[in-house]
Amino acid sequence: MIKIKSAREIALMRDAGKVAASVLQELESAIQPGITTAELDKLAEKLIRRAGGEPAFLGYQGFPASICTSINSEVVHGIPGLHRLKEGDIISIDLGVLLKGYYSDTAVTFGVGKISPLAGRLIDVTRQSLEEGISAMRSGGYLSDISHAIQKYVEANGFSIVYSYTGHGIGTSMHEEPSVPNFGPPGRGPKLQPGMVLAIEPMVNAGSAEVEVRDDGWTVLTKDRSLSAHFEHSVALAKDGPVILTIL
Ligand code: MG
C-alpha cells in the first residue's frame, strides 16, 4: 500500500530533507584529493547529529556507516574506509536522515578536482535525468511516467540505466511502497496522487548496464568497470506538482 502523507507529515519530511541537503553541501566542500571516505563519513555523522537527526543508513540491515561512498566504477552502497580520494575520481555520496520520525534520502555524484570530459558528461546526464523524472511526476499521471522519462533521457545521451536497483516510497520508513524503477514504458503502475512521497534515484553507467556486488556484500559496481553516477531526491507530490524535499 502506498501511504499518502498529510501536509504536516510532508513539512516534517521537508525538515529532514533540509538537514540531508545541508550535510551534502558541507561534504562537497570537504571533498578533495587526499581525504578518506571514512573521514567524510565521520563528518556526515557529526553534522547529522548536530542538527538533531540520526544517520538513517547506520546499522540499516547491518550497514556499518552513515553514508554510502561509491567511487568511479562503484554504482551504489560503497562502504566508507581508508581509501583516499584522488584527483579525477568521481564519488557518489548517498545519505539518509531520520528526524522527528521521518526519513529523507538523497544522493549526489561529485568530481574530485579536475575530472575527465566523459566523467563530467556522465554526472551532468545523470543529474538531468533525475530532473526529467521529477518533471514527469504529475497528479493523475502514472508511476512509470517517471521511470520512462529517466530512461529516455539517459539512453538518448548514450549511457545505460542500472536495472537491478530502484527508487522507492519514503516516509516513516526509509523504504516504502512503491518501488520506483528508472526504466520502462510510460502509463503503467499506480496512479500518482497528491501526498505521495518518492525517493527517485537514477543510477547511470557510462558502459553496459550490468552490475555485480563486491565480496564485502554491499558495494555494487559495474561489471565492465565503466564509470557510474547516482543522483537522488526525496520528492513529494502536491496538487500542483512535485516538491523536492532534499534541497536547502
Ligand atoms: Mg534511496
Side-chain angles (χ1 to χ4, degrees), residues 3-238:
K3 290 187 194 159
I4 299 300
K5 277 84 178 177
S6 68
R8 181 192 144 270
E9 289 184 289
I10 289 172
L12 288 167
M13 294 188 75
R14 179 79 181 96
D15 291 343
K18 273 186 204 165
V19 171
S22 71
V23 173
L24 270 186
Q25 194 181 51
E26 295 276 345
L27 291 178
E28 180 176 16
S29 24
I31 287 173
Q32 52 181 312
I35 195 165
T36 67
T37 48
E39 287 167 333
L40 293 172
D41 178 56
K42 286 298 146 219
L43 174 61
E45 179 174 2
K46 186 178 83 180
L47 294 168
I48 292 169
R49 293 194 191 284
R50 186 186 287 168
E54 282 172 46
F57 292 0
L58 186 60
Y60 182 81
Q61 291 181 358
F63 190 77
S66 297
I67 59 175
C68 300
T69 51
S70 308
I71 298 164
N72 297 333
S73 61
E74 296 172 352
V75 179
V76 285
H77 305 164
I79 302 173
L82 299 177
H83 181 94
R84 276 182 204 286
L85 296 183
K86 57 182 197 310
E87 178 95 12
D89 282 342
I90 61 171
I91 177 171
S92 304
I93 295 186
D94 192 349
L95 76 92
V97 171
L98 172 62
L99 184 74
K100 294 179 251 171
Y102 287 85
Y103 285 87
S104 64
D105 191 358
T106 185
V108 172
T109 300
F110 299 109
V112 182
K114 191 171 160 42
I115 59 173
S116 72
L118 173 67
R121 209 166 68 76
L122 178 69
I123 288 175
D124 290 345
V125 167
T126 309
R127 183 195 293 112
Q128 184 58 33
S129 77
L130 173 58
E131 295 302 322
E132 300 288 325
I134 293 170
S135 303
M137 188 178 178
R138 278 185 219 102
S139 188
Y142 290 87
L143 180 75
S144 82
D145 298 348
I146 300 168
S147 317
H148 181 70
I150 293 170
Q151 181 179 29
K152 200 173 131 192
Y153 185 80
V154 166
E155 292 180 351
N157 282 282
F159 294 133
S160 306
I161 279 291
V162 173
Y163 299 108
S164 347
Y165 297 86
T166 69
H168 48 93
I170 182 167
T172 51
S173 303
M174 192 157 63
H175 295 107
E176 295 185 355
E177 284 182 48
S179 146
V180 185
N182 297 304
F183 60 93
R188 308 266 172 96
K191 232 179 181 182
L192 298 174
Q193 49 175 296
M196 286 182 175
V197 185
L198 304 175
I200 305 174
E201 50 177 319
M203 289 146 260
V204 176
N205 297 346
S208 101
E210 280 185 273
V211 297
E212 59 191 21
V213 180
R214 191 168 277 157
D215 55 14
D216 62 19
W218 281 104
T219 313
V220 178
L221 68 170
T222 56
K223 218 165 196 174
D224 61 8
R225 302 301 185 263
S226 65
L227 294 174
S228 189
H230 178 212
F231 280 81
E232 175 177 22
H233 275 309
S234 303
V235 187
L237 186 55

